[in-house]
Amino acid sequence: PATSMEELVSLCKRRGFIFQGSEIYGGLQGFYDYGPLGVELKNNIKAAWWRTNVYERDDMEGLDASIIMHRQVLRHSGHEATFSDPMVDNKKNNKRYRLDHLVKDQKADVIAKVAEAMGQSAENFPAVVAALNANPAQASEALRAAGVRDPFSGEVGEWTEPKPFNMMFKTTIGPVADDESYGYLRPETAQGIFTNFKNVVDSTSRRLPFGIAQIGKAFRNEITPRNFIFRVRELEQMEIEFFCAPGTDEDWHEKWLEARLSWWEAQGVPRSKIEILDVPKEDLAHYSKRTYDLMYDYPTLGHEEIEGIANRSDYDLGSHTKNQSELGLVARVEENLDSIAKLTIPHPETNKPVVPFVIEPSAGVDRAMLAVLSEAFTKETLENGNERIVLKLKPHLAPIKVAVIPLARNKAELVDLARSIKNDLQKLGLGRILLEDSGNIGKAYRRHDEVGTPYCVTVDFDTVGKGEDASLTDTVTIRDRDTLAQERVKISELSSYLQAKLR
Ligand code: ATP
């Protein structure tokens, strides 16, 4: 695995996985563009998630809801009131920071002083953050007393009292910009699932328990986007809302935890690298009955959230439904006089209408990509003493499945045959097959090691019957990325050979 974030950032840029957004105009903080290989890896991760969670189950449906949503959706979801992070300003240079990020970035002795001033132990950082968030006036005093430094200037800052900062992007809809004509870019994909609950139930005749899966962009105006694609302002999520009868929720929560850990393992992110955080009661989001955060051990960053698996009780459908008071809701919800739909479903046993409980496994695509890259990243010393960087991606995630390489780029005979092999392989539907006629073979191998191409197929003079060994006519060399073993295979058997390896 990678040992630092820097080596990943450098590989991603060098080989065309990820670029800074709007780079030629100086870049835009918190926005990234996925390059030729990045888009393939990202699509493969999403496809693997969809396969496991939609196609391979019998209790799931898919959805692709719109990104811009009615302001009432985000009002009744609770986001207008509570989707905010505490922010502090340094009066000396007008820089703004997210309170917990600011404290986390301090030296250990400063963190200890802040923790003490808040009556907490520095060992339990989440408790320190909870205390800071809960007591703005005391927090401000604690920052001052501890001599908290500005990460930008390095000097002790002059800190304001923390204020909540709402992270939603608001946008005008239509030609008139007035007080009513706005919507929000969704801050999570989940709300599109809740607002379509009735549509999906009515159109598919689903009964409890069942889930709806969605992959898509979400937008959060993070105060301090940072750590490469770990914390961005335009992100992509893979979310499931799994609806079940009240009382069966705890059981489903455990099942989903297990299912998700096993999915991560299949993507090359082992359980041993994921810590399960059973989020303490006092740190739970207002809608949550219980939450497991999966904390992956990122290089340089340490354990940070890659996925949250929350038991959201009946909060969401209960918040968006009409006739709330008649439905015996368990969650405490704000009154809703705007919704025109009753979001119930027959209880599997009593057949009486019930607002189901929801288990929500929510993973970030960008954070998944970072973890997958990090686990695959390998630096090896070869027998000849040379070092190589190789991405040992699972074949189903590799951006390029096979590179077909003519040994000499200026020999039409070799290039034409390589192209025809490439075209045949492409038809197998394995993913991207690349004709690699850009330079010498050594460079090609090095490049394909670094981008994780599982197999290179080389067409040489023997292949076309012009080498020294006539028995090699109509055969090609297949090189294995991980073992470096080279094998001669008949062109006629190439498809079945690669299909078996890459399935
Ligand atoms: P954090 O505490 O790191 O800000 P969160 O608890 O706000 O994350 P959730 O609201 O639970 O995150 O979102 C679900 C998932 O979406 C996260 O587990 C993460 O993978 C992803 N995610 C959330 N915010 C971001 C972001 N700014 N950039 C990239 N991915 C994100």
Side-chain angles (χ1 to χ4, degrees):
T3 53
S4 76
M5 193 63 94
E6 283 73 55
E7 58 191 4
L8 285 183
V9 174
S10 138
L11 175 77
C12 283
K13 163 113 201 188
R14 184 156 37 95
R15 294 300 187 186
F17 283 90
I18 300 166
F19 309 121
Q20 176 68 59
S22 305
E23 193 173 10
I24 64 167
Y25 289 100
L28 198 54
Q29 225 196 331
F31 298 91
Y32 285 90
D33 299 338
Y34 286 84
L37 297 176
V39 61
E40 299 292 340
L41 175 54
K42 207 179 188 207
N43 283 343
N44 293 342
I45 290 174
K46 292 190 278 184
W49 186 92
W50 197 265
R51 229 176 9 249
T52 302
N53 292 300
V54 183
Y55 297 163
E56 290 175 6
R57 297 182 66 109
D58 301 311
D59 54 1
M60 294 285 294
E61 298 289 348
L63 181 76
D64 183 20
S66 77
I67 284 172
I68 294 181
M69 302 190 86
H70 199 294
R71 61 203 168 89
Q72 296 288 21
V73 174
L74 283 316
R75 187 178 137 213
H76 289 293
S77 67
H79 284 84
E80 270 191 351
T82 64
F83 194 65
S84 52
D85 278 333
M87 161 186 83
V88 285
D89 288 1
N90 180 4
K91 283 189 256 179
K92 282 186 179 164
N93 58 5
N94 292 322
K95 291 263 172 214
R96 305 197 136 162
Y97 298 96
R98 198 172 119 173
L99 178 59
D100 57 330
H101 289 169
L102 176 66
V103 175
K104 198 174 186 185
D105 286 349
Q106 302 297 310
K107 295 223 167 78
D109 59 320
V110 177
I111 297 178
K113 280 187 203 158
V114 174
E116 200 190 330
M118 299 308 295
Q120 300 292 332
S121 150
E123 248 92 273
N124 187 354
F125 192 72
V128 178
V129 172
L132 287 166
N133 292 348
N135 312 291
Q138 200 189 340
S140 167
E141 179 51 28
L143 298 190
R144 198 199 53 75
V148 164
R149 287 174 186 276
D150 186 311
F152 180 76
S153 67
E155 290 170 16
V156 172
E158 200 180 307
W159 303 106
T160 61
E161 199 163 292
K163 282 194 298 280
F165 174 77
N166 194 295
M167 290 191 289
M168 282 199 292
F169 284 97
K170 203 173 176 178
T171 190
T172 304
I173 301 174
V176 183
D178 62 22
D179 286 352
E180 301 272 288
S181 312
Y182 68 89
Y184 293 107
L185 275 66
R186 62 185 181 195
E188 57 179 27
T189 64
Q191 295 308 320
I193 298 182
F194 299 130
T195 54
N196 279 291
F197 174 75
K198 195 171 154 35
N199 287 332
V200 174
V201 170
D202 290 350
S203 57
T204 64
S205 308
R206 282 285 178 187
R207 315 259 325 201
L208 292 182
F210 80 99
I212 303 177
Q214 178 168 221
I215 300 177
K217 293 266 175 131
F219 300 81
R220 300 181 176 189
N221 195 5
E222 296 276 354
I223 301 163
T224 30
R226 57 192 202 159
N227 296 329
F228 195 35
I229 54 169
F230 179 82
R231 187 172 302 285
V232 289
R233 288 177 166 142
E234 176 173 337
L235 53 132
E236 200 159 5
Q237 293 182 310
M238 308 182 279
E239 294 196 301
I240 293 162
E241 306 301 329
F242 193 81
F243 303 100
C244 60
T248 65
D249 52 300
E250 292 180 10
D251 201 31
W252 276 111
H253 200 191
E254 299 304 316
K255 284 188 193 150
W256 274 108
L257 173 62
E258 203 39 50
R260 295 302 305 140
L261 286 168
S262 117
W263 185 81
W264 283 112
E265 184 107 50
Q267 313 318 311
V269 182
R271 287 175 193 226
S272 58
K273 295 288 286 288
I274 295 177
E275 247 171 48
I276 302 164
L277 175 69
D278 188 351
V279 179
K281 283 262 171 306
E282 61 272 22
D283 301 337
L284 285 176
H286 61 285
Y287 52 75
S288 174
K289 177 172 161 187
R290 188 175 189 179
T291 295
Y292 296 125
D293 280 345
L294 306 190
M295 312 291 283
Y296 170 72
D297 190 6
Y298 286 97
T300 305
L301 311 182
H303 287 94
E304 293 282 355
E305 179 179 331
I306 188 168
E307 170 161 357
I309 307 174
N311 181 340
R312 299 175 67 114
S313 73
D314 56 5
Y315 174 81
D316 304 281
L317 293 180
S319 294
H320 286 304
T321 188
K322 67 175 186 182
N323 303 356
Q324 288 166 311
S325 57
E326 300 162 15
L327 300 174
L329 297 174
V330 175
R332 203 149 4 102
V333 298
E334 298 284 323
E335 184 177 43
N336 188 335
L337 299 176
D338 301 304
S339 170
I340 54 171
K342 198 159 126 192
L343 303 181
T344 59
I345 188 168
H347 190 286
E349 277 147 30
T350 65
N351 245 3
K352 292 213 180 90
V354 64
V355 176
F357 267 45
V358 173
I359 304 299
E360 178 197 69
S362 168
V365 178
D366 314 85
R367 290 186 189 181
M369 183 139 161
L370 201 50
V372 162
L373 280 170
S374 170
E375 284 303 319
F377 189 95
T378 312
K379 243 184 205 164
E380 279 179 355
T381 308
L382 302 176
E383 272 169 22
N384 62 11
N386 287 350
E387 199 173 69
R388 73 159 181 164
I389 292 177
V390 51
L391 273 190
K392 296 196 169 175
L393 291 168
K394 300 273 181 191
H396 72 280
L397 296 180
I400 299 168
K401 308 301 178 189
V402 180
V404 185
I405 310 171
L407 190 66
R409 68 198 290 205
N410 52 2
K411 288 281 181 295
E413 204 179 353
L414 300 187
V415 176
D416 291 348
L417 181 56
R419 182 174 294 115
S420 120
I421 290 174
K422 185 257 159 174
N423 290 341
D424 286 344
L425 292 178
Q426 192 60 67
K427 291 190 189 114
L428 300 176
L430 297 166
R432 185 163 193 204
I433 313 292
L434 191 86
L435 177 68
E436 176 70 71
D437 60 348
S438 55
N440 74 39
I441 185 95
K443 269 197 188 146
Y445 284 160
R446 217 167 316 138
R447 167 170 132 87
H448 284 285
D449 281 347
E450 279 201 23
V451 305
T453 308
Y455 297 99
C456 288
V457 168
T458 304
V459 175
D460 58 19
F461 291 100
D462 284 320
T463 312
V464 294
K466 295 194 174 155
E468 277 158 21
D469 187 346
S471 72
L472 297 179
T473 307
D474 293 330
T475 68
V476 287
T477 304
I478 298 187
R479 173 183 181 270
D480 182 301
R481 174 195 73 194
D482 297 342
T483 64
L484 295 176
Q486 303 206 11
E487 226 182 305
R488 224 48 222 196
V489 173
K490 286 197 189 124
I491 295 176
S492 58
E493 287 164 12
L494 197 53
S495 291
S496 50
Y497 179 98
L498 288 169
Q499 247 172 338
K501 296 269 191 187
L502 287 167
R503 205 165 4 184

